[in-house]
Amino acid sequence: MVIAGGKSPNYMRNASEAIAAQIPDSETAVLDAQTHEVKAEVIAPVLTRALPSMTGEHKSADSALDTAGTLAP
C-alpha cells in the first residue's frame, strides 16, 4: 500500500499513484485533510488494515484501536 496525504501537493499524490502502479497487487490510500506529515491517529487504522493482509492475517482496524482511538497494545 502506498499512502498519500490529501492536502499534499499534486506531484506527491501523483508520485504515490505512479509508485503503486509499479508494485504488483498494490493500492493507493489518500488520507483526506492530511499533508506529508500524517497524524498518527489518522494513519494507524490504515496501517492496521494493510499490515495483517501482508502476513496473511486479517484483523479489523477498529479492533486494534482502544477507546481513545490509539493503537491498543
Side-chain angles (χ1 to χ4, degrees):
M1 175 176 287
V2 181
I3 303 170
K7 289 177 68 177
S8 291
N10 285 338
Y11 74 90
M12 286 184 155
R13 290 193 312 273
N14 293 342
S16 296
E17 291 175 14
I19 291 167
Q22 298 301 311
I23 302 171
D25 300 320
S26 183
E27 56 186 272
T28 304
V30 177
L31 305 178
D32 294 333
Q34 297 297 305
T35 64
H36 188 65
E37 298 177 19
V38 178
K39 293 181 180 178
E41 62 268 14
V42 174
I43 200 168
V46 176
L47 294 175
T48 302
R49 279 193 309 270
L51 293 175
S53 68
M54 293 178 196
T55 62
E57 298 174 26
H58 297 284
K59 184 176 179 182
S60 143
D62 294 336
S63 67
L65 298 175
D66 64 18
T67 56
T70 57
L71 280 177

